[in-house]
Structure formats: structure tokens, C-alpha cells
Amino acid sequence: MAEQATTNPNKALWEKGDFTRIAATMRDSGVALVDDLDVTAGLRVLDLGCGDGTTALPAARLGATVLGVDIAPNLVAAGNERAAAAGLDNLRFQEGDAADLSDLADDSFDLVVSIFGAMFAPRPMSVAAEMVRVTRPGGRIVMGNWIPGDPTLVAQLLRISGSYSSPPPEGFVSPVTWGVENDVRERFAAAGIAPERISCTRQIWTFAHPGSPTELLAIFRDYYGPTMNAYAAAAAEGRGDALHAELEELFASQNTATDGSTSIPATYLRVAVSA
Ligand SMILES: C[S@@+](CC[C@H](N)C(=O)[O-])C[C@H]1O[C@@H](n2cnc3c(N)ncnc32)[C@H](O)[C@@H]1O
């Protein structure tokens, strides 16, 4: 019997393909980011939009008690498998929506991390309110968000992909608005956070792949929901080759490795909030 299609487009986008294949190119950056967060044994950490645990696993390895929440059940399953394989019984993953964390109690985390995760949930005001609600007073929220118009890989990939896809439905708020400092401040202000408790800095995230940029692009084409959708939309309009050529040029031009492998640094907005 055919599997019933999900009716939630946000969920469908991330269930599509296999984000673990992209996450495999992000492991070192995940460890480096967590090393910078003063994670201590017993710290209660929520990783929101956690995927298969790029940041959740390193945090658990430092002794934190970590819950990963993600909207895509396949990524939750992959995360739980990675936790079991690593013997981390202080780490578990469950399904949930960043805009509605009603399963989670108020003030239940010391640190909420969301690296390119919650930014993809619709209803950003609810996302900010939920992150603040589940963080204890005096706790921290750290987000990593791609920046619209930035010249580096992911912002350009999303821009180019968007230009080959049908326009989003009316009222759709672009995920990359989470990379605009004023929007971030407005959302956390509405959730009760004073301006001096919010800081935004530009940081670098590196995608590393042992093969060529063309191979890395193939991974995005075959496994990354937003890029898969763009290829499908472009093919339907006979523009598949044009999209591919544009992305080949993007990946090649962003590569800084000179030994046949791929290393692509991408700029993101790191948001730090003291709750
Ligand atoms: C670009 S991936 C990043 C995953 C992970 N943070 C990492 O760094 O590997 C975006 C993640 O956000 C998740 N996501 C998207 N919308 C979400 C929502 N509304 N609630 C929770 N997770 C969501 C996706 O399923 C996906 O795992």
C-alpha cells in the first residue's frame, strides 16, 4: 500500500531526500561550534531542528543531557541510531515542531541550540516565543541562521534554487529573515527579551567533502530537500541544465581546497540570547 503523503509542507521538505548526507560534510564545524558554547556535564541542552545530531552529539559527548527535536522522523531515527552507536545514554531525539513545543515544560533547558534548524520552521514569532519559554531564566539560546543576500554558499544556493522554483504561497516568511538582525531582535523582543540580551555576530561554517565540488553538488542535488525541489521544478520547465550549470559554477568558485577535495566556508549569523 502506498504510504500516506504528509500534508505539512515544512515536514515534507525535510523528510525528502536524506539530510544525513549533507550533515556528514558538517561534522567538524558542529564540533567546533559546540566547543565554543561552554557546555558542561549535566547541562540541560535542547537542540532544535537537530537533524541527525551535528551539534547534539558533540554536546552529549561533553556530558550534557541533550534532547534533539526535529520535525523529520527519518532524521530523528538517524539521530537515535547515532546516539546508540556512540553509547550516549544522555542523548535522545524526538519528533517535534519548533513553532509548537507543547510537549516541553517551561524553563526546562539551560541552553537551547538551533543551528540552521528552527530558522526553517514557519511562524517565526511562535518559534522565538517557544525557544524563550523552554529556556530557564538566566539560560541561553544560540541560533545559527543563513543570511539573505550573503555571497557565500548556502545563501546563494537558496537564492538560486528559489529562482527556479514556483513562488512561495502568500504569507510565507522566508527562513533567511532569521539572518536579518532587525527581524531577529523584533522576534525576541516580542517574546519578552530586552535588546541588551541579544547579540548577533557573523561566523563561518565550513562544508568539507573528500571529493570534488561537483560531487558535493551531486549530494545536495540528490539528498537536500530544497535543492531537490529546485531541480524538479527546473526540469519541469526544461531549465534543469541551466540550474545545474549555475550551481556547478557556485560550488567550484566557493571551494578553497586545492588538493582535489572540497572545503567551502559559508557565513552565517550567530544569534546569542540570554534568557
Ligand atoms: C539544514 S538542517 C540542519 C540540521 C542540524 N541542525 C545540523 O546542523 O545538521 C534543518 C533541520 O531543521 C529541521 N526542521 C525544519 N523545520 C522544522 C520545524 N518546524 N521544527 C523542527 N525542526 C525543523 C529539518 O528537519 C532539518 O533537520
Side-chain angles (χ1 to χ4, degrees):
M1 197 172 78
E3 211 168 282
Q4 201 183 342
T6 173
T7 52
N8 177 344
N10 171 224
K11 185 173 180 176
L13 177 68
W14 294 100
E15 276 182 313
K16 199 175 182 123
D18 180 3
F19 186 78
T20 67
R21 300 291 299 263
I22 315 299
T25 73
M26 305 181 0
R27 300 301 188 211
D28 290 349
S29 283
V31 170
L33 185 142
V34 170
D35 280 347
D36 209 26
L37 293 181
D38 299 323
V39 172
T40 48
L43 197 78
R44 296 166 304 165
V45 176
L46 170 65
D47 189 340
L48 201 50
C50 55
D52 68 355
T54 304
T55 42
L57 254 86
R61 285 201 173 100
L62 292 173
T65 302
V66 184
L67 174 65
V69 168
D70 199 282
I71 200 159
N74 53 325
L75 299 177
V76 168
N80 278 322
E81 275 168 30
R82 292 184 74 219
L88 291 167
D89 56 14
N90 52 332
L91 167 61
R92 70 186 175 84
F93 293 79
Q94 70 184 39
E95 215 178 308
D97 185 338
D100 177 6
L101 298 172
S102 41
D103 292 359
L104 306 179
D106 295 0
D107 307 337
S108 47
F109 296 95
D110 303 301
L111 172 63
V112 173
V113 181
S114 190
I115 303 305
F116 322 126
M119 66 172 287
F120 288 104
R123 300 195 287 130
M125 289 299 204
S126 303
V127 170
E130 283 294 77
M131 288 194 290
V132 170
R133 180 183 68 74
V134 301
T135 306
R136 72 162 168 84
R140 293 173 287 154
I141 300 168
V142 175
M143 293 183 85
N145 301 328
W146 300 119
I147 302 168
D150 186 81
T152 60
L153 184 79
V154 185
Q156 290 303 312
L157 177 63
L158 294 172
R159 179 189 64 76
I160 294 168
S161 297
S163 72
Y164 284 82
S165 309
S166 1
E170 208 180 314
F172 176 81
V173 181
S174 168
V176 291
T177 54
W178 272 110
V180 178
E181 187 165 345
N182 280 347
D183 287 345
V184 169
R185 290 184 172 281
E186 193 181 295
R187 290 165 189 174
F188 281 113
I193 301 290
E196 64 276 12
R197 293 180 170 272
I198 306 167
S199 76
C200 294
T201 52
R202 287 182 176 231
Q203 310 256 347
I204 299 295
W205 185 272
T206 302
F207 293 86
H209 176 67
S212 66
T214 298
E215 279 179 36
L216 180 60
L217 169 58
I219 294 173
F220 275 80
R221 180 196 64 204
D222 296 341
Y223 299 108
Y224 183 61
T227 314
M228 293 168 76
N229 282 353
Y231 270 90
E237 291 186 356
R239 296 203 296 153
D241 288 350
L243 170 62
H244 191 64
E246 217 175 316
L247 293 181
E248 281 261 35
E249 160 61 19
L250 173 69
F251 277 67
S253 65
Q254 299 276 330
N255 184 26
T256 59
T258 52
D259 60 357
S261 71
T262 306
S263 178
I264 299 185
T267 307
Y268 69 96
L269 190 73
R270 191 183 298 189
V271 177
V273 173
S274 303

